[in-house]
Amino acid sequence: MTQTAAHAGAGQAYAEGGVEAMREAVARIVNETPVTDLHTHLYAPAFGDLLLWGVDEVLIYHYLIAEAMRASGLPYGDFWAMSKEEQAAFIWRTLFIERTPYSEACRGVVTVLKRLGLNIEARDLESYRAYFREQDLGKHIDAVFKAANLESAVMTNDPFDSNERPVWEREAAGDPRFHAALRIDPLLNDWTNACGMLQDWGYDTAADLGPKTLAETRRFLSGWLERMNALYMAVSLPPDFAFPDESARTILIRECIAPVAEEHNVPFALMIGVKRAVNPALKLAGDGVGVADIQAVENLCAKFPATKFMVTMLARENQHGLCVTARKFPNLFLFGCWWFLNNPSLIEEMTRMRFELLGPSVAPQHSDARVLEQVIYKWDHSRAIIAKVLADKYADLLHAGWTLYEDEIRRDARMLLGGNFWDFVKGRAGGAGS
Ligand code: RAT
Ligand code: ZN
């Protein structure tokens, strides 16, 4: 038999009569497949207190702060004046005792406590605190990675952050489960301040963005990519992000980010659509969303065909246009259901749309976890939806006459939960080996 005539599959075969068995197999396989979480705010243990963990941190997650403030009507100042433990107790009481915790962020806490074996029925915050006090952090990280079936997580590493920078300068020992990503928001969103910081660190930069400044900024980026061994560069951008325009940002992307990304063969990840500080009194919880213009992404992908772009957008309204754009540009990789989209109804809608328009060539989810234990709920909840949508698409395919093999389901799950991301990071723009 020739290669084109042979099926690639092995293992159990599923055809039209076996849809129910296929669904069970998909759920099992998606759960068994380890994940690479391509965007988190977690840190390797060497970063010390920057790695947040424990029930108090889980409860003061900014997604929950917004919900608790809204529910309680407490003056902002009163909340911020509390200690961390008081804030956590207030959120527990407001959202879990006085109300039913069925928002996605609340349900996440319940999933975490349950999966760690704690007594949910008791609703006893003190007993949860006692459990976490007893944990050895190293063993706890192992247990959380195991519970989430997480192979590795990509951090968000900001050299402009005065808490993080010294750790990199000490060149702390790495933990192979944690990868770095070079986050450059200040550079692209606040050039005046970033330029001053670069000067303080010995780069010969000036506000005017002349040739010397651009060369020095490239040196800064290359140096940090190498120091961090970063998998990609990343930025979050407002809904009015345009490329090209008259801004410093356009010059920096064109003259520094795109060429450095190409030279180092690292993708440039754009997270587009966040309106920062819509309500500053809420601090980190005060950001909002706006619809952005896909044109900027099209322009970038077309102008820099040898640069790899990873994109996620925050507005639901942008998801369809983004899928269409990804069909046009192999140097564009879509990832995750970001932040306010990380809710079951929206994950399902987006995953379905992406599978239908792009087949298996996306990373349907990242966790954005800020607190270690959150990876448990974020992946539990998302895995269930990814498996459901995948099984629906397979069912349609079986009805159309296709036969599917167990090892093909495994291959697809591996691609979706990490393989596609790694292939994109390691490959060249425009496809493997090109
Ligand atoms: O999802 C979040 O926690 C946000 O606060 C942001 O961190 C966002 O994901 C970002 O990376 O800017
Ligand atoms: Zn994030």
Side-chain angles (χ1 to χ4, degrees):
M1 217 187 296
T2 65
Q3 187 59 32
T4 45
H7 69 70
Q12 175 73 43
Y14 300 97
E16 195 174 1
V19 169
E20 282 322 305
M22 175 276 289
R23 285 187 188 280
E24 280 167 29
V26 172
R28 172 173 45 80
I29 288 168
V30 168
N31 280 333
E32 285 169 5
T33 304
V35 99
T36 296
D37 194 342
L38 68 83
H39 170 57
T40 76
H41 297 264
L42 302 180
Y43 288 91
F47 289 78
D49 291 346
L50 290 179
L51 171 61
L52 304 179
W53 65 286
V55 70
D56 289 302
E57 296 292 353
V58 165
L59 284 169
I60 62 167
Y61 188 27
H62 68 86
Y63 293 23
L64 292 170
I65 291 176
E67 292 177 29
M69 296 311 284
R70 178 177 172 74
S72 67
L74 184 75
Y76 301 116
D78 292 5
F79 179 79
W80 297 119
M82 293 178 195
S83 69
K84 182 196 294 183
E85 289 72 21
E86 287 167 344
Q87 291 176 347
F90 166 76
I91 290 176
W92 177 253
R93 189 171 66 248
T94 305
L95 296 180
F96 294 80
I97 303 298
E98 294 170 358
R99 290 167 182 78
T100 305
Y102 58 76
S103 76
E104 175 61 8
C106 285
R107 180 174 69 119
V109 177
V110 178
T111 300
V112 166
L113 298 176
K114 168 106 169 106
R115 290 289 314 280
L116 291 174
L118 297 167
N119 180 356
I120 307 286
E121 178 60 25
R123 301 188 186 176
D124 177 15
L125 178 55
E126 285 312 321
S127 69
Y128 308 147
R129 284 175 165 161
Y131 164 86
F132 282 99
R133 271 196 299 273
E134 282 162 17
Q135 302 308 310
D136 165 81
L137 180 57
K139 290 197 185 112
H140 182 59
I141 296 173
D142 295 347
V144 169
F145 268 62
K146 188 157 184 262
N149 197 4
L150 199 61
E151 196 163 67
S152 62
V154 183
M155 306 180 279
T156 295
N157 302 106
D158 182 354
F160 292 92
D161 181 338
S162 56
N163 294 317
E164 178 168 349
R165 195 181 160 81
V167 184
W168 289 108
E169 284 167 343
R170 282 201 304 273
E171 302 210 12
D175 177 325
R177 291 172 297 186
F178 292 87
H179 303 285
L182 173 57
R183 183 78 175 237
I184 49 172
D185 285 32
L187 197 70
L188 292 182
N189 294 331
D190 186 5
W191 166 245
T192 311
N193 273 320
C195 175
M197 292 170 91
L198 290 180
Q199 287 165 359
D200 292 346
W201 299 329
Y203 295 91
D204 189 2
T205 53
D208 65 359
L209 287 165
K212 179 78 191 163
T213 296
L214 295 171
E216 284 291 272
T217 305
R218 286 191 292 270
R219 185 166 73 86
F220 165 78
L221 292 169
S222 293
W224 277 95
L225 278 175
E226 281 161 19
R227 184 190 288 264
M228 292 176 171
N229 196 17
L231 296 182
Y232 58 82
M233 288 185 276
V235 68
S236 72
L237 294 161
D240 64 2
F241 168 57
F243 182 93
D245 66 5
E246 301 303 309
S247 65
R249 186 195 282 139
T250 280
I251 297 171
L252 287 161
I253 291 177
R254 192 183 60 221
E255 304 296 334
C256 302
I257 312 291
V260 168
E262 185 184 338
E263 184 194 329
H264 289 259
N265 194 33
V266 299
F268 176 34
L270 300 96
M271 309 171 71
I272 307 168
V274 52
K275 272 195 211 163
R276 294 288 179 196
V278 167
N279 182 354
L282 277 171
K283 301 192 181 175
L284 197 55
D287 299 338
V289 60
V291 179
D293 189 351
I294 300 281
Q295 188 68 53
V297 179
E298 285 176 11
N299 292 345
L300 283 169
C301 293
K303 185 167 171 62
F304 304 106
T307 299
K308 298 182 286 188
F309 296 96
M310 293 167 52
V311 173
T312 197
M313 295 182 84
L314 196 52
R316 181 188 189 188
E317 293 86 336
N318 281 130
Q319 302 310 321
H320 182 248
L322 186 59
C323 284
V324 175
T325 303
R327 289 176 68 88
K328 311 298 146 191
F329 296 102
N331 57 335
L332 173 56
F333 183 73
L334 301 198
F335 71 97
C337 302
W338 183 26
W339 200 343
F340 312 113
L341 294 167
N342 196 349
N343 292 296
S345 62
L346 299 168
I347 300 169
E348 180 163 345
E349 172 182 292
M350 284 171 64
T351 304
R352 213 171 274 284
M353 192 192 298
R354 287 166 166 177
F355 285 3
E356 289 169 3
L357 278 157
L358 297 164
S361 68
V362 296
Q365 192 55 301
H366 65 265
S367 78
D368 238 314
R370 282 180 178 267
V371 183
L372 177 67
E373 296 81 9
Q374 290 171 336
V375 291
I376 298 176
Y377 94 76
K378 302 248 188 185
W379 284 108
D380 258 27
H381 296 187
S382 287
R383 269 196 166 92
I385 301 167
I386 293 165
K388 177 178 173 205
V389 176
L390 190 58
D392 285 351
K393 294 295 104 194
Y394 286 157
D396 293 346
L397 194 57
L398 301 192
H399 289 312
W402 194 252
T403 301
L404 186 65
Y405 294 85
E406 179 122 348
D407 73 334
E408 293 170 334
I409 302 175
R410 280 193 193 285
R411 174 198 58 196
D412 293 354
R414 273 199 305 274
M415 288 168 72
L416 293 169
L417 295 179
N420 287 334
F421 167 66
W422 285 110
D423 287 349
F424 190 75
V425 165
K426 291 185 175 149
R428 286 271 157 197
S434 64

